């Protein structure tokens, strides 16, 4: 779906998805670290590693590897999309989504009015809907 041909409702849905992924960015990084740790434990002969009764060690490792690849894809996609933003736009993303600040606090920190912050947000969202590709459609 192209940005120019999106309905207002489709754009709103994409923005919600983009914002959700950006708010969860730090959680994705934590998840990746935890999954990598779990894989190292699952791959060893550690007797403390618990494999659910309905699965075996191989399927658990395969599942964890799959989750690691997915988390890497999410993080790399977001990182790549961020490179296309201006310094001001990246600063906005940092405060508003990564730090989870309010619009008011973001505006105060950046030295802009709230109206200007919404303009920056719209510019950022237009770029990110395109830059994130299908990720902007993923719930």
């Amino acid at each position: 779906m192209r940005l120019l041909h999106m309905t207002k409702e489709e754009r709103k849905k994409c923005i919600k998805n983009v914002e959700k992924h950006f708010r969860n960015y730090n959680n994705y990084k934590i998840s990746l670290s935890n999954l990598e740790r779990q894989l190292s434990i699952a791959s060893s002969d550690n007797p403390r590693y618990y494999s659910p009764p309905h699965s075996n060690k191989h399927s658990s490792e395969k599942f964890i590897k799959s989750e690691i690849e997915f988390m890497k894809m999410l993080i790399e996609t977001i990182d790549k999309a961020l490179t296309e933003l201006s310094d001001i736009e990246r600063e906005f993303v940092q405060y508003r989504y990564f730090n989870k600040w309010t619009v008011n606090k973001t505006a105060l920190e950046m030295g802009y009015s709230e109206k200007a912050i919404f303009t920056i947000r719209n510019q950022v969202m237009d770029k990110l809907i395109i830059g994130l590709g299908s990720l902007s459609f993923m719930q």
Side-chain angles (χ1 to χ4, degrees), residues 15 17 27 35 38 61 105 116 118 127:
I15 288 172
N17 290 335
N27 292 328
L35 286 163
Q38 291 167 14
E61 287 179 34
K105 185 173 181 178
F118 280 108
K127 289 179 180 180

Side-chain angles (χ1 to χ4, degrees), residues 84-101:
E84 296 304 311
L85 300 180
S86 70
D87 291 342
I88 290 169
E89 292 167 335
R90 275 193 300 277
E91 184 180 11
F92 165 78
V93 167
Q94 178 66 47
Y95 294 142
R96 183 73 178 111
Y97 300 114
F98 297 165
N99 295 354
K100 298 178 179 139
W101 287 3

Side-chain angles (χ1 to χ4, degrees), residues 116-131:
I117 290 297
F118 280 108
T119 300
I120 292 169
R121 176 190 174 265
N122 287 333
Q123 292 168 347
V124 166
M125 288 302 138
D126 286 344
K127 289 179 180 180
L128 293 177
I129 288 170
I130 296 167

